[in-house]
Amino acid sequence: MSDTKAPPASEPDTAETRREIRRLTFRGLLVQAGFNYERYQNLGFWWMMRPLLDKLYPGKAERAAAYQRHLVYFNTHPWLIGPIAGVTAVMERQRANRAENIDDETISSVKIGLMAPLAGIGDSLVFGTLRPILGAVCAAMAVTGNVAGALIFFFGLLAIQFGIRFWTTSAGYHTGVRFFDRISPETIDRIRRGATMVGLAVAGALVATLLKVQTPWTYTNGHQKIKLQDQLDAVLPAMLPLAVTLLVFVLLRRRVSPVWVLLGTLVVGLVLGYFGVLG
C-alpha cells in the first residue's frame, strides 16, 4: 500500500507563486490575439500556460502531450480567464508531481466546468454593468466638450480590466480546485441577476439624459399656443428618446443588421429634422 499523500488543493503564497500569477496575468492579456472560429481561444490559453508547461515537463513527449491538452476548444469571457488559468496551473503542477487523482481528463473537465459560468458572469458584470456605468459618467463629461471623459473611459476601463484579471488569477491559483466551492449555481445566478439589473438601470439613465430627441411642433388651443413637447414631458419625461430606443431594440431583436439600423436612424433623423418634425 502506498503512503503517498495527496498534494494540496492550492498553492502557498511564495515569491515563485507571485511571479507565476503575474506571468499568467500579463500573458492572458493576449488571449484574444489567437482567436479562431474552430477552437476559439485555445491558442491564447495555450500561450498563457506555455512557460509553466515548459518548466514542468522537460521531456519532449510529456511537453507535447501537455500542449495538446490545452489546444482543444476553449471559450470564456476574456476578462475572467484568470480563475481557469490559476486552477489549471495548480493542477498541472500536481500532475507533474505524479498526483494520483490528477490526469488529463480531470484537467480538461475542470476547464470545461468553469468556462460557461465565468462567461455568464463576465457578460453581465463587465459588459452589462461596469462598462455602461463608466461610459455613462464619461459620456456626461464628453458631451460638454471635456476631453477628460474619453481619457478616463479608456484608462479607467484598462485599469479595471487589469485589476479583475490579476485578482481572479490570484484567487484561482491560491484556492485551486476549491474555487468550485465559491461559485455555486446560486451564487452565479445572484451575481448575474444583480449585474443585469444595475446595467439596465444605467442604460435607462443614459437614454433619459444623453439621448436628445425632441419635437418643435406647437398647436393652438383657443388663443393659447401650446408646445407638443411640453405635453409629452408632462405625460412621461423623455418619451421620445424612450420610443426611439425601444424601436432600435425591437429591430435588433429581430436580427436587423446594426449597420442598417444606424443608417436608417441617420436618414429618418435627417428627413424628420428637415421637415420640422424633430428639432
Side-chain angles (χ1 to χ4, degrees):
M1 180 180 295
S2 174
D3 59 353
T4 303
K5 294 183 179 180
S10 58
E11 290 292 314
D13 188 14
T14 63
E16 182 182 359
T17 295
R18 291 191 289 271
R19 284 195 299 269
E20 189 63 48
I21 291 173
R22 288 195 297 270
R23 184 184 298 117
L24 288 172
T25 301
F26 280 109
R27 293 176 77 90
L29 294 172
L30 298 177
V31 68
Q32 294 286 84
F35 186 89
N36 61 88
Y37 285 102
E38 181 181 0
R39 300 183 182 181
Y40 287 68
Q41 298 168 334
N42 69 321
L43 292 175
F45 192 84
W46 166 80
W47 168 256
M48 290 180 67
M49 301 298 299
R50 180 178 176 180
L52 178 64
L53 299 178
D54 291 346
K55 179 180 179 181
L56 294 177
Y57 304 106
K60 184 176 180 181
E62 285 190 320
R63 185 185 304 175
Y67 283 2
Q68 187 63 35
R69 189 160 55 244
H70 296 294
L71 284 173
V72 297
Y73 172 85
F74 182 84
N75 187 38
T76 191
H77 193 283
W79 287 28
L80 292 182
I81 197 173
I84 305 177
V87 173
T88 303
V90 173
M91 297 182 70
E92 286 289 356
R93 283 187 177 276
Q94 295 174 0
R95 189 185 185 285
N97 292 330
R98 309 303 180 188
E100 296 181 358
N101 58 336
I102 302 295
D103 55 16
D104 293 3
E105 184 178 353
T106 303
I107 296 175
S108 299
S109 297
V110 168
K111 288 173 58 180
I112 294 172
L114 288 174
M115 284 192 307
L118 291 177
I121 293 175
D123 289 339
S124 301
L125 184 62
V126 176
F127 295 150
T129 305
L130 295 178
R131 193 165 66 176
I133 291 176
L134 183 62
V137 174
C138 296
M141 300 173 62
V143 294
T144 63
N146 190 345
V147 71
L151 296 176
I152 292 174
F153 181 78
F154 178 79
F155 290 106
L157 207 60
L158 199 62
I160 292 173
Q161 175 185 181
F162 189 80
I164 290 176
R165 285 177 180 270
F166 182 82
W167 180 80
T168 55
T169 303
S170 179
Y173 204 99
H174 285 119
T175 59
V177 293
R178 289 185 289 109
F179 186 80
F180 279 99
D181 299 333
R182 299 189 176 187
I183 56 168
S184 62
E186 294 78 11
T187 301
I188 295 173
D189 189 53
R190 285 198 300 269
I191 294 175
R192 294 181 62 180
R193 278 199 315 237
T196 300
M197 286 189 290
V198 173
L200 291 174
V202 172
L206 285 173
V207 170
T209 57
L210 297 180
L211 185 58
K212 303 297 182 183
V213 182
Q214 297 180 337
T215 177
W217 275 8
T218 61
Y219 64 94
T220 303
N221 185 9
H223 298 286
Q224 185 179 10
K225 183 175 289 188
I226 300 175
K227 294 182 178 180
L228 178 60
Q229 185 62 51
D230 292 341
Q231 299 301 308
L232 294 176
D233 290 339
V235 176
L236 177 65
M239 179 187 293
L240 292 180
L242 177 62
V244 172
T245 302
L246 292 177
L247 176 60
V248 171
F249 175 76
V250 170
L251 292 175
L252 293 177
R253 285 293 297 270
R254 295 186 176 182
R255 302 195 179 278
V256 178
S257 171
V259 175
W260 286 111
V261 173
L262 288 173
L263 291 176
T265 303
L266 177 63
V267 172
V268 172
L270 290 174
V271 172
L272 295 181
Y274 178 79
F275 288 103
V277 177
L278 298 178

